[in-house]
Amino acid sequence: MAVPGRAGGRDTASQILDVAERLVQTRGFNAFSYGDVAAEVGVTKPALHYHFAGKAELGEALVARYAARFQAALEHIDATTDAAAKKLAAYADLYQQVLMEDRMCLCGMLAADYDTLPDTMRHAVVTFFDRNETWLAGVLEQGIREGTLRASGPSREIAQMVIGTLEGAMLVARTYHDSARFVTTAKCLLAELARGPGS
Amino acid sequence: MAVPGRAGGRDTASQILDVAERLVQTRGFNAFSYGDVAAEVGVTKPALHYHFAGKAELGEALVARYAARFQAALEHIDATTDAAAKKLAAYADLYQQVLMEDRMCLCGMLAADYDTLPDTMRHAVVTFFDRNETWLAGVLEQGIREGTLRASGPSREIAQMVIGTLEGAMLVARTYHDSARFVTTAKCLLAELARGPGS
DNA sequence: GTCTATAACGAGATAGAC
DNA sequence: GTCTATCTCGTTATAGAC
């Protein structure tokens, strides 16, 4: 339950979000339609427009829900894990769980679609990355204090690299249908950040 | 001229490829149309169909040209650079040049669109990554022999991480309209791989 | 090699009944 | 809250003239 709320689907709005989320994560924002979602949920297109006025509004709701769920997962890590290195591993595991459902990170996918997104969605995607960066920078600083992690530069910059590496590893691994490829990169990354004899 | 051939545009086919390439790199494969390309090149849609039967064929030609150009750039690096660490820096610089034109790597973008691509394009994208991985692994092994690079694991796995990191850093940096963000991550990555007191 | 014209389809969206 | 029916537009693609 690192990513709670996905199993849900009692009401139509949740079902719409569930289906649309999967379609965006696998096909991208410009390769899914109201028709696709409606058919899969078992309603008609106007029913979708009742719940989400347009594709922009649906997209905004998608990012908002995903970001909230991710934020909750980060808080869950903070609440249940002490060591910074373990927090980092748990963070990478969040990505891995997404990939093992054959999905790209929602915001990673939307980053690819960025130039075609409505403004509100753009801002929401950037905010998602900002929050991840802030959380990661905190974990890195904790690890440096503990002496369990090392940073060869400012913690925010290392945090940016971690996000980029995990998003990129997901992106590429999906073309190989090989989640092991992601796991390998995540392990390399964690090994690099673990306190070796560096700085 | 690390990426030769882009300036070209004598014949219509080249112009079509140039425009389509930029549109795919900025908007994705599912967010550009024959109409967009035709309008920009200054011809009509049937003229495009004359040169490239359909979107699939255009996409294949796009990846083939991009991959060939990239391959040529790698050979250029090999021919003009000795030290492995400098080759690695030159490799990261190839990505940076693409990003500074406000573009995503063509194959990174197509990786996001992967689930919606025709089969021939899928294979071409994977082959692109494979060739990059092979070249990078060779450079890493050279660096280990020289004692200028270190690898905390098998060179092919490190090569995979390098590709993932650079693709992901590009992907995210584009949402910030901030190529400096990519440069920072690339520097961190090169610093990690440079021979510190590690293995 | 490029055009006009058009076919055939799917997209996002709305009106209005129930 | 969901439906039928419809509108308008953009999409890929083809036929056939020049």
Side-chain angles (χ1 to χ4, degrees):
Chain A
M1 59 154 281
V3 185
R6 182 127 77 208
R10 294 186 320 288
D11 54 357
T12 304
S14 300
Q15 280 180 274
I16 292 168
L17 289 172
D18 290 342
V19 171
E21 183 179 63
R22 195 191 70 251
L23 290 174
V24 174
Q25 285 184 274
T26 52
R27 303 174 55 84
F29 193 69
N30 297 303
F32 90 100
S33 73
Y34 263 46
D36 297 332
V37 179
E40 217 171 312
V41 172
V43 292
T44 55
K45 288 189 282 177
L48 261 70
H49 281 283
Y50 169 79
H51 292 285
F52 303 96
K55 224 183 164 185
E57 288 79 7
L58 175 55
E60 290 162 34
L62 240 28
V63 183
R65 194 181 70 156
Y66 189 83
R69 200 194 291 147
F70 219 90
Q71 196 67 27
L74 298 186
E75 282 160 21
H76 179 76
I77 292 174
D78 282 329
T80 57
T81 315
D82 283 333
K86 293 209 170 181
K87 287 186 186 178
L88 218 51
Y91 182 77
D93 198 55
L94 289 178
Y95 285 73
Q96 192 184 329
Q97 285 172 36
V98 172
L99 182 63
M100 295 215 295
E101 285 184 312
D102 293 310
R103 303 186 189 198
M104 176 64 189
C105 168
L106 180 76
C107 290
M109 184 62 90
L110 294 177
D113 297 325
Y114 192 80
D115 281 15
T116 70
L117 296 181
D119 258 347
T120 46
M121 286 186 70
R122 292 191 190 187
H123 293 132
V125 168
V126 173
T127 300
F128 173 83
F129 289 130
D130 281 339
R131 296 222 174 116
N132 276 262
E133 184 181 318
T134 299
W135 185 86
L136 272 173
V139 170
L140 288 166
E141 277 163 24
Q142 180 198 334
I144 292 164
R145 283 198 305 275
E146 290 175 358
T148 52
L149 296 179
R150 69 194 178 116
S152 50
S155 59
R156 285 201 84 88
E157 292 184 3
I158 308 291
Q160 287 174 15
M161 180 176 68
V162 170
I163 293 170
T165 301
L166 295 176
E167 291 286 356
M170 273 185 104
L171 185 74
V172 177
R174 269 173 50 79
T175 71
Y176 285 84
H177 305 289
D178 181 12
S179 66
R181 197 186 161 101
F182 171 87
V183 174
T184 298
T185 289
K187 265 188 195 153
C188 284
L189 178 66
L190 294 176
E192 288 294 342
L193 294 173
R195 174 150 182 71
S199 125
Chain B
M1 60 154 281
V3 185
R6 181 127 76 208
R10 293 186 320 287
D11 53 357
T12 305
S14 300
Q15 281 182 274
I16 291 168
L17 288 172
D18 289 342
V19 171
E21 183 179 62
R22 195 191 71 251
L23 289 175
V24 174
Q25 286 184 274
T26 53
R27 303 175 54 84
F29 192 70
N30 297 302
F32 90 101
S33 72
Y34 264 44
D36 296 333
V37 179
E40 216 171 314
V41 172
V43 292
T44 55
K45 290 186 278 178
L48 261 70
H49 282 284
Y50 170 79
H51 292 284
F52 304 96
K55 224 181 164 186
E57 288 79 7
L58 175 54
E60 288 163 32
L62 240 28
V63 182
R65 193 181 70 155
Y66 189 84
R69 199 195 290 147
F70 219 91
Q71 196 66 27
L74 298 187
E75 282 159 21
H76 179 76
I77 292 174
D78 281 331
T80 57
T81 315
D82 283 333
K86 293 210 172 181
K87 288 186 186 179
L88 218 51
Y91 182 77
D93 198 54
L94 289 179
Y95 284 73
Q96 193 185 329
Q97 285 172 36
V98 173
L99 183 63
M100 295 215 295
E101 284 184 313
D102 293 310
R103 302 185 190 198
M104 176 64 189
C105 168
L106 181 76
C107 290
M109 184 62 91
L110 293 177
D113 296 326
Y114 193 80
D115 280 16
T116 70
L117 296 181
D119 258 347
T120 46
M121 287 186 70
R122 291 191 191 187
H123 293 131
V125 169
V126 172
T127 300
F128 173 84
F129 289 130
D130 281 339
R131 295 220 174 117
N132 276 263
E133 184 182 317
T134 298
W135 184 86
L136 271 172
V139 170
L140 288 165
E141 277 163 23
Q142 180 198 333
I144 292 165
R145 282 197 305 276
E146 292 174 359
T148 53
L149 296 179
R150 67 192 178 117
S152 50
S155 60
R156 286 201 84 86
E157 292 184 4
I158 308 291
Q160 287 173 15
M161 181 176 66
V162 171
I163 295 169
T165 301
L166 295 177
E167 291 286 356
M170 274 185 105
L171 186 74
V172 176
R174 271 174 47 81
T175 70
Y176 285 84
H177 305 289
D178 181 13
S179 65
R181 197 186 161 100
F182 171 86
V183 174
T184 299
T185 289
K187 265 188 195 153
C188 283
L189 178 66
L190 294 176
E192 289 293 342
L193 294 173
R195 174 147 182 73
S199 126

